[in-house]
Amino acid sequence: MNTFKELLTKVKDLFEKENFVFEPRGLYDPIDYTLSLGGKRIRPVLLMAANEMFGGKAEEVAHAALGIETFHNFTLLHDDLMDRSPIRRGMPTVFRKWNDNTAILSGDTMFALAWRYFLRQPHANLQSILNTFNETAIEVCEGQQFDMDFETRSDVTISEYIEMIRLKTAVLLAGALKIGALYANAPAADIEHLYQFGIHAGLAFQLQDDWLDSFGDTATFGKQTGTDIKDNKKTYLFLKALEQSNPEQHNQLTLLFSNNPEDADSKVKEVLSIYEKLNIRTLTEQAIEEEFHLAEESLKAIQLPEERKSTLYEISRSLLGRDK
Amino acid sequence: MNTFKELLTKVKDLFEKENFVFEPRGLYDPIDYTLSLGGKRIRPVLLMAANEMFGGKAEEVAHAALGIETFHNFTLLHDDLMDRSPIRRGMPTVFRKWNDNTAILSGDTMFALAWRYFLRQPHANLQSILNTFNETAIEVCEGQQFDMDFETRSDVTISEYIEMIRLKTAVLLAGALKIGALYANAPAADIEHLYQFGIHAGLAFQLQDDWLDSFGDTATFGKQTGTDIKDNKKTYLFLKALEQSNPEQHNQLTLLFSNNPEDADSKVKEVLSIYEKLNIRTLTEQAIEEEFHLAEESLKAIQLPEERKSTLYEISRSLLGRDK
């Protein structure tokens, strides 16, 4: 059984060997560019880890690991286009480096290339595996639509927000785990626990991402803080603050999140001071902790010796900064 | 065994029963709209006809018929966005009725919904069937990229053009036939003949579409003629004319196809008069005839009694106006 680090090396090696040297270049250059930019590669690692936990071997699910990561990168490519995000992983996004049409069509092709990986090898569970992949893909699209809908809605509830991040982020982590387990012919009850582990770890991870954007240390976070506030993003923090606020604070928050002032830093400071007053830092930490706890409980419930789960404990604790 | 007309009725009934009443509505309304607009429904009919030719029953491949048509409509949705086409089947296209992002994301979801149909039922050949579907999808994307590349290229050859329409149009007709035959466990050699029938019929159909745009009768064609010329589209007619032209005509054609004059009707007349001088009408008819002949030869080569092929003869002759 491989550790987190060993699996990560395997996944990186896999992608280094993949080249998209086909014609037309206008279609495949952006795909090659996207897939070689790197990223955390966490989904293929989860897929392999789940597979090995139930007695499989990472090498035997390499094709599915490539497939799930190719799919993930397709969603990022189209999301960046829809959100008009200029930068991804420190490099220009595809629609900026090429154009909108290239981003649309190269993305579509990447979705099909993900399928090509999955279809590379037969398996007794292939139909279930492909169904899991496809239903997950549909949910990810639904999540992105909810996310875009929320931009123009002023009545988003916390539970709607949680459902959105479940669809947009958590189901793909959970789906990767489930697929890895299906390849190892794991028992249905264990697969369900594993899936729930992925959902709760995914929610914890996304809530932590929201938290870091406001309260994180730029050096460790690796991104500018305060960007969600500048962009008027309705994160968990903002929605929790609305929930906790008195009428005056409610109006103030609503007003602040409907403006794009030139002095964005003052706006960030003002919002953060309301967050501090309303105890948003601690309330969000509690929500993360709760999801993290549910994730670990789900992992515990799997009917395997605890030592077989070590890599998954390691991955989720590392992602959530609980490994120090 | 059902006739063309009977299969068409079955396909139309299938789509009338399909409703996309899921949340979020912003994602599924455009899908529902697109799939209920109709169209020729020729791909699902071909899939069913191929299946029945080898002893299958149309009802048993209904899910795959829905899948192939959903995929086709996804490609139209994204193509219309990339080409900025305002109208499809007499109605506003999705990006015009909604917006670009809706067209991107609803399209992505339709691709996944096509997979959902294909994954609905198990089959001994499922992996081959899905591979055929997916490789076809990749080729269709490649064809669209070549088509877009050609817009800015001045050195497109006739054989490059034929390869582009093979990918963009013919492979999906051929793929639909192959999938129908795979579901009926047809012999490999017959599947190959059937595939070639689809390729040649598809090429004939696309060349005929080019021909109709210049020489067709608006009343029977159902579209305005001359639009390819107005849009400077490098069709078979234009490329053949370049090939046949003397240096003076070559310059004239190149100049005409680099302008968008206000008096577009005069431009169309001028181009058509060059086409007449260079015998483009007859040369194109010969090319269509050649592909039609190759299509019928491929169908003949299938090791089945001719009466089993009647529906496919009927469909291809009807599509190519040879049924009168």
Side-chain angles (χ1 to χ4, degrees):
Chain A
M1 228 178 73
N2 288 290
T3 63
F4 182 15
K5 213 180 148 187
E6 287 163 348
L7 290 177
L8 207 51
T9 307
K10 277 182 201 293
V11 168
K12 284 184 179 162
D13 288 349
L14 279 175
F15 273 95
E16 266 165 33
K17 277 186 216 130
E18 293 297 305
N19 285 299
F20 295 91
V21 292
F22 317 114
E23 291 288 336
R25 296 304 319 149
L27 186 68
Y28 287 105
D29 276 338
I31 294 173
D32 211 45
Y33 172 80
T34 302
L35 290 176
S36 55
L37 278 184
K40 285 193 297 292
R41 308 291 197 205
I42 199 66
R43 290 150 195 86
V45 164
L46 285 173
L47 191 153
M48 286 175 161
N51 183 257
E52 292 204 332
M53 181 170 75
F54 289 105
K57 276 193 73 65
E59 286 72 15
E60 287 161 15
V61 290
H63 63 291
L66 285 161
I68 205 87
E69 183 69 2
T70 301
F71 170 76
H72 174 58
N73 278 272
F74 144 64
T75 66
L76 297 181
L77 203 168
H78 274 193
D79 283 3
D80 286 341
L81 169 63
M82 290 185 268
D83 302 339
R84 311 304 298 175
S85 307
I87 301 288
R88 164 77 58 188
R89 293 163 185 155
M91 298 286 281
T93 47
V94 168
F95 85 94
R96 290 272 287 202
K97 193 172 159 75
W98 284 272
N99 54 55
D100 286 21
N101 283 0
T102 296
I104 294 167
L105 196 60
S106 293
D108 293 348
T109 309
M110 278 175 74
F111 193 4
L113 291 173
W115 279 103
R116 181 185 275 173
Y117 285 123
F118 275 107
L119 291 168
R120 208 183 254 179
Q121 279 179 43
H123 192 279
N125 290 340
L126 192 62
Q127 209 183 348
S128 299
I129 289 163
L130 299 180
N131 258 318
T132 302
F133 172 53
N134 197 50
E135 293 305 311
T136 303
I138 291 171
E139 290 185 312
V140 171
C141 291
E142 291 171 350
Q144 169 69 3
Q145 182 70 41
F146 278 120
D147 197 13
M148 296 196 298
D149 288 348
F150 289 179
E151 283 173 29
T152 52
R153 276 183 51 194
S154 57
D155 58 351
V156 180
T157 65
I158 289 183
S159 72
E160 283 180 318
Y161 178 77
I162 297 289
E163 174 63 1
M164 184 275 282
I165 62 174
R166 187 185 74 83
L167 292 166
K168 190 168 167 170
T169 304
V171 296
L172 189 55
L173 302 174
L177 290 160
K178 181 172 174 178
I179 289 168
L182 281 167
Y183 272 109
N185 303 303
D190 283 346
I191 291 181
E192 182 53 28
H193 291 308
L194 185 64
Y195 190 84
Q196 290 307 322
F197 161 71
I199 294 294
H200 292 298
L203 293 177
F205 182 73
Q206 187 56 53
L207 292 174
Q208 180 183 260
D209 209 55
D210 288 2
W211 185 94
L212 283 168
D213 194 83
S214 281
F215 305 118
D217 172 28
T218 311
T220 17
F221 187 35
K223 297 191 214 175
Q224 279 298 114
T225 55
T227 55
D228 285 347
I229 296 172
K230 287 176 192 165
D231 295 346
N232 299 327
K233 270 215 97 182
K234 296 183 188 94
T235 65
Y236 182 85
L237 281 63
F238 171 72
L239 298 171
K240 195 73 190 171
L242 279 187
E243 187 198 74
Q244 298 287 315
S245 60
N246 62 35
E248 195 197 323
Q249 290 164 326
H250 199 285
N251 286 340
Q252 217 180 336
L253 275 170
T254 309
L255 188 68
L256 281 162
F257 271 73
S258 60
N259 284 340
N260 289 300
E262 277 191 36
D263 187 0
D265 290 333
S266 300
K267 170 180 161 178
V268 172
K269 261 189 205 162
E270 238 182 301
V271 171
L272 286 179
S273 103
I274 302 176
Y275 283 0
E276 283 301 332
K277 271 179 219 153
L278 296 172
N279 205 23
I280 299 307
R281 178 197 285 262
T282 310
L283 289 171
T284 307
E285 284 165 3
Q286 284 167 0
I288 298 168
E289 192 53 41
E290 200 178 315
E291 294 301 338
F292 180 70
H293 175 72
L294 289 169
E296 296 232 321
E297 287 300 305
S298 302
L299 200 49
K300 264 193 208 127
I302 293 172
Q303 297 292 307
L304 281 176
E306 283 296 292
E307 66 266 23
R308 295 220 58 84
K309 307 172 189 169
S310 59
T311 303
L312 283 184
Y313 276 115
E314 192 193 349
I315 297 172
S316 62
R317 286 173 187 174
S318 158
L319 281 179
L320 293 162
R322 311 286 160 117
D323 53 344
K324 279 127 204 167
Chain B
M1 228 178 72
N2 287 291
T3 63
F4 181 16
K5 211 178 149 188
E6 287 163 349
L7 290 178
L8 207 50
T9 306
K10 277 182 201 295
V11 168
K12 284 184 178 161
D13 287 350
L14 278 177
F15 273 95
E16 265 165 35
K17 276 184 215 133
E18 292 298 305
N19 285 299
F20 296 90
V21 292
F22 317 114
E23 291 289 336
R25 297 304 318 148
L27 187 68
Y28 288 106
D29 276 339
I31 294 173
D32 211 46
Y33 173 80
T34 301
L35 290 176
S36 56
L37 278 184
K40 284 191 299 291
R41 307 290 197 205
I42 199 67
R43 290 151 195 84
V45 165
L46 285 173
L47 192 153
M48 286 175 161
N51 183 258
E52 293 204 331
M53 182 169 74
F54 290 104
K57 275 194 72 69
E59 286 71 15
E60 287 160 16
V61 290
H63 63 292
L66 286 161
I68 205 87
E69 184 70 1
T70 301
F71 170 77
H72 173 59
N73 279 271
F74 144 64
T75 66
L76 297 181
L77 202 169
H78 274 193
D79 283 2
D80 286 342
L81 169 63
M82 290 185 267
D83 303 339
R84 311 303 299 175
S85 307
I87 301 288
R88 166 76 60 186
R89 292 162 186 157
M91 297 288 280
T93 47
V94 168
F95 86 95
R96 291 272 287 202
K97 194 172 159 75
W98 285 272
N99 54 54
D100 286 21
N101 283 358
T102 296
I104 295 168
L105 196 60
S106 293
D108 292 348
T109 309
M110 278 175 74
F111 193 3
L113 291 172
W115 280 103
R116 182 185 274 172
Y117 286 122
F118 275 107
L119 292 168
R120 207 182 254 179
Q121 279 180 43
H123 192 279
N125 290 339
L126 191 61
Q127 209 183 347
S128 300
I129 289 163
L130 299 180
N131 259 317
T132 301
F133 171 52
N134 197 49
E135 294 304 311
T136 303
I138 291 172
E139 290 185 311
V140 172
C141 291
E142 292 172 349
Q144 169 69 3
Q145 182 69 43
F146 278 121
D147 197 13
M148 295 196 299
D149 288 348
F150 289 0
E151 283 173 28
T152 54
R153 275 182 53 192
S154 58
D155 58 350
V156 180
T157 65
I158 290 184
S159 71
E160 282 179 318
Y161 179 77
I162 297 291
E163 174 62 3
M164 183 277 282
I165 62 175
R166 186 185 73 83
L167 292 166
K168 190 168 167 168
T169 305
V171 297
L172 189 55
L173 302 173
L177 290 161
K178 182 173 174 178
I179 289 168
L182 281 167
Y183 272 110
N185 304 304
D190 283 346
I191 291 182
E192 182 52 30
H193 292 309
L194 186 64
Y195 190 84
Q196 289 309 322
F197 161 71
I199 294 293
H200 292 298
L203 293 178
F205 182 72
Q206 187 56 53
L207 291 174
Q208 180 184 259
D209 210 55
D210 287 2
W211 185 95
L212 284 167
D213 195 83
S214 281
F215 306 118
D217 172 28
T218 311
T220 20
F221 188 35
K223 298 190 213 175
Q224 279 298 114
T225 56
T227 54
D228 286 345
I229 295 172
K230 286 177 194 165
D231 295 345
N232 299 326
K233 269 215 97 181
K234 295 182 188 95
T235 64
Y236 182 85
L237 282 63
F238 171 72
L239 297 171
K240 195 73 189 170
L242 279 188
E243 187 197 75
Q244 299 286 314
S245 60
N246 61 35
E248 195 196 325
Q249 290 164 325
H250 198 284
N251 287 341
Q252 217 181 336
L253 275 170
T254 310
L255 188 68
L256 282 162
F257 271 72
S258 60
N259 285 340
N260 289 300
E262 276 192 36
D263 187 0
D265 289 334
S266 299
K267 172 181 160 177
V268 172
K269 261 188 202 159
E270 237 182 302
V271 171
L272 287 179
S273 104
I274 301 176
Y275 283 180
E276 283 300 333
K277 271 178 219 155
L278 296 172
N279 205 23
I280 298 306
R281 178 198 284 261
T282 311
L283 289 171
T284 307
E285 284 166 3
Q286 284 167 0
I288 297 168
E289 192 53 41
E290 199 179 316
E291 294 300 338
F292 179 70
H293 176 71
L294 289 169
E296 297 232 322
E297 287 301 304
S298 302
L299 199 50
K300 262 190 210 132
I302 293 171
Q303 298 291 306
L304 281 176
E306 284 296 293
E307 66 264 24
R308 296 220 58 85
K309 307 173 188 170
S310 59
T311 303
L312 283 184
Y313 277 115
E314 191 193 351
I315 297 172
S316 62
R317 285 173 187 173
S318 157
L319 281 179
L320 292 161
R322 311 286 160 115
D323 54 343
K324 278 127 202 167

